[in-house]
């Protein structure tokens, strides 16, 4: 399918999360007759993933494995929504050509925890700029100069109000680069910036799986998946999918997921590493770590969220089940990447809110914030 699709999506990021989440959903929506089109992937890193995507003509498999509603799930899903991959460092002119296509409707992204950080060396003439916001600004400015319509920007970074933050960074950068006022108007009024919340654990598949020999992009995702998109109530829905939820306020979903699931990951990872565990599954089998984590969740994190989000206790119980997924090899080393930034966004706010609400320091959160990788 991928080679015959009209390219309608420009995606910054080629990692396993987007491929096991948005890209898979777009493929499934295409199969359902929604005709969303195909994805051009822009790879910013120097690994071989882009070459593999092109060699496999944008096709790969997702192993959906875990426990859902008490039932074991173990199925294979093929994805074919990616038409091609471009490497920013060597294919920047081709990226800009895609950005000016009249068919492009949506921009997706999933960068690192530090992905919104600017690089002082970036300019409008950089080929390419180093930071993601600068790459996006150049692409959008090139589109504006080609007199093309605005696009919908759906950032998938785990940052609160991610689209609002990204738009603000681009507007500041546009001022710094002295870009014309007409472009700023186009950026704010013609483009649609929708905050999102993404939730699915996606990891590398086991190299022992039978498909691994022929599919270098094979990944594993848990059955649970939720993509919350914040947009005005009367705005058109770009994609219809069981995992996609539209809302006028993404904040409660963000708080629940990032504070509970991601907060638990970030807090647990140093303890697991200290005991020599390589994966979340191994750590969850350790009684001491599991009991500490349950205390963190139900004594400190959940109480700060009561009344602010829907059923935080039930969500925390589901998170413990997801962490114990017997199929997933979720590497502790991956969770520890950008650990200090994750502490500040996933744990520190809950620590401060607990202190303000209950008038005492939450001991496990305090310990977790003090922990280092």
């Amino acid at each position: 399918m991928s080679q015959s699709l009209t390219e309608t999506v420009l995606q910054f990021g080629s990692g396993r999360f987007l491929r096991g989440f948005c890209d898979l959903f777009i493929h499934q929506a295409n199969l359902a007759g929604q005709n969303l089109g195909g994805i051009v992937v822009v790879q910013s890193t120097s690994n071989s993933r882009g070459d593999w995507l092109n060699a496999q003509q944008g096709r790969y498999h997702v192993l959906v494995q875990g426990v859902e509603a008490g039932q074991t799930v173990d199925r294979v899903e093929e994805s074919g929504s990616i038409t091609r991959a471009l490497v920013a460092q060597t294919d920047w002119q081709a990226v800009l050509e895609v950005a000016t296509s009249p068919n492009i409707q949506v921009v997706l992204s999933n960068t690192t925890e530090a992905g919104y950080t600017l690089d002082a060396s970036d300019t409008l003439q950089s080929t390419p700029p180093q930071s993601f916001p600068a790459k996006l600004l150049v692409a959008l400015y090139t589109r504006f100069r080609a007199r093309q319509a605005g696009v919908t920007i759906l950032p998938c970074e785990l940052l609160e109000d991610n689209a609002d933050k990204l738009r603000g960074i681009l507007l500041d950068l546009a001022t710094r680069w002295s870009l014309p006022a007409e472009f700023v108007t186009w950026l704010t009024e013609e483009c649609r910036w929708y905050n999102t919340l993404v939730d699915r654990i996606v990891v590398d598949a086991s190299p022992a799986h039978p498909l691994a020999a022929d599919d270098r992009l094979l990944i594993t995702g848990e059955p649970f998946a939720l993509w919350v998109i914040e947009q005005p109530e009367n705005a058109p829905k770009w994609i219809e999918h069981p995992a996609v939820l539209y809302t006028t306020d993404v904040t409660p979903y963000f708080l629940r997921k990032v504070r509970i699931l991601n907060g638990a990951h970030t807090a647990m990872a140093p303890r697991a590493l200290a005991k020599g565990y390589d994966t979340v599954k191994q750590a969850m089998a350790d009684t001491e770590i599991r009991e500490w984590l349950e205390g963190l969740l139900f004594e400190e994190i959940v109480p700060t969220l009561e009344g602010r989000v829907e059923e935080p206790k039930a969500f925390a119980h589901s998170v413990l089940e997801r962490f114990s997924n017997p199929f997933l090899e979720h590497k502790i080393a991956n969770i520890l990447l950008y650990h200090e930034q994750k502490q500040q966004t996933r744990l520190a706010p809950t620590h401060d809110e607990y202190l303000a609400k209950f008038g005492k320091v939450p001991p496990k959160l305090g310990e977790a914030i003090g922990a280092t990788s």
Side-chain angles (χ1 to χ4, degrees):
M1 174 189 289
S2 57
Q3 299 305 300
S4 62
L5 294 172
T6 300
E7 295 174 341
T8 61
V9 179
L10 180 60
Q11 175 174 300
F12 289 88
S14 61
R16 58 180 176 259
F17 176 76
L18 284 177
R19 288 186 290 111
F21 195 76
C22 309
D23 301 348
L24 178 62
F25 302 162
I26 292 169
H27 172 77
Q28 292 166 338
N30 282 334
L31 290 180
Q34 294 181 43
N35 299 319
L36 298 185
I39 304 164
V40 179
V41 166
V42 180
Q43 178 182 313
S44 294
T45 54
S46 57
N47 59 42
S48 302
R49 198 178 299 123
D51 293 335
W52 297 343
L53 277 167
N54 290 329
Q56 295 182 195
Q57 297 185 315
R59 306 193 73 87
Y60 55 90
H61 297 87
V62 181
L63 309 178
V64 180
Q65 299 175 314
V67 178
E68 188 174 42
Q71 300 296 314
T72 298
V73 176
D74 187 1
R75 66 178 183 267
V76 178
E77 298 181 353
E78 187 176 16
S79 184
S81 59
I82 295 174
T83 58
R84 54 182 165 141
L86 301 171
V87 178
Q89 204 63 36
T90 56
D91 302 321
W92 185 239
Q93 189 56 44
V95 172
L96 296 183
E97 289 173 5
V98 173
T100 62
S101 166
N103 296 318
I104 292 295
Q105 302 171 9
V106 173
V107 174
L108 298 174
S109 68
N110 184 241
T111 61
T112 65
E113 294 291 322
Y116 286 6
T117 302
L118 295 174
D119 188 311
S121 68
D122 285 338
T123 69
L124 189 62
Q125 291 74 37
S126 298
T127 55
Q130 295 305 303
S131 73
F132 161 61
K135 287 186 180 74
L136 179 59
L137 183 61
V138 173
L140 292 176
Y141 184 58
T142 305
R143 183 175 181 82
F144 164 78
R145 293 189 64 190
R147 300 184 181 278
Q148 296 295 347
V151 292
T152 298
I153 294 96
L154 295 171
C156 296
E157 292 79 18
L158 275 178
L159 296 170
E160 191 167 8
D161 300 325
N162 47 18
D164 293 342
K165 281 188 172 67
L166 184 58
R167 178 178 54 194
I169 292 169
L170 264 65
L171 290 173
D172 289 344
L173 194 55
T175 299
R176 193 181 311 173
W177 288 355
S178 302
L179 298 183
E182 293 82 2
F183 168 65
V184 172
T185 300
W186 180 89
L187 198 66
T188 55
E189 296 183 8
E190 298 297 322
C191 292
R192 298 157 297 281
W193 300 79
Y194 295 154
N195 296 320
T196 72
L197 180 278
V198 296
D199 189 359
R200 185 178 223 178
I201 299 171
V202 183
V203 302
D204 291 326
S206 168
H209 192 278
L211 288 172
D214 296 318
D215 186 353
R216 304 181 77 172
L217 297 162
L218 184 67
I219 50 179
T220 301
E222 63 177 337
F224 182 91
L226 178 65
W227 188 6
V228 184
I229 300 174
E230 179 185 284
Q231 62 181 44
E233 197 166 346
N234 59 351
K237 295 177 180 178
W238 167 62
I239 181 174
E240 297 277 4
H241 189 277
V244 178
L245 172 68
Y246 291 93
T247 180
T248 56
D249 185 9
V250 76
T251 302
Y253 300 95
F254 177 89
L255 285 175
R256 187 176 67 172
K257 191 264 180 172
V258 173
R259 300 291 187 88
I260 294 177
L261 187 146
N262 299 103
H265 267 157
T266 299
M268 178 184 67
R271 303 178 73 86
L273 184 69
K275 285 199 164 189
Y277 297 128
D278 294 323
T279 67
V280 173
K281 178 174 62 178
Q282 293 171 348
M284 291 299 291
D286 183 304
T287 302
E288 181 185 355
I289 289 180
R290 187 180 180 102
E291 289 180 352
W292 183 88
L293 189 62
E294 288 175 348
L296 174 77
L297 286 170
F298 298 111
E299 296 168 15
E300 299 182 12
I301 296 179
V302 167
T304 68
L305 296 174
E306 292 284 2
R308 302 164 62 195
V309 305
E310 185 178 347
E311 298 184 348
K313 185 179 291 186
F315 187 78
H317 279 295
S318 74
V319 162
L320 292 172
E321 181 181 61
R322 292 165 65 185
F323 282 11
S324 301
N325 188 328
F327 295 96
L328 294 190
E329 300 294 333
H330 196 176
K331 301 293 186 183
I332 297 297
N334 290 339
I335 296 171
L336 285 170
L337 293 172
Y338 306 100
H339 185 64
E340 291 185 3
Q341 293 100 314
K342 290 175 180 178
Q343 286 178 317
Q344 292 308 306
T345 58
R346 302 175 178 186
L347 296 172
T350 310
H351 174 279
D352 295 345
E353 289 166 8
Y354 184 99
L355 179 61
K357 184 173 182 178
F358 299 105
K360 58 182 179 180
V361 173
K364 292 180 174 63
L365 277 166
E367 180 184 354
I369 292 172
T372 62
S373 57

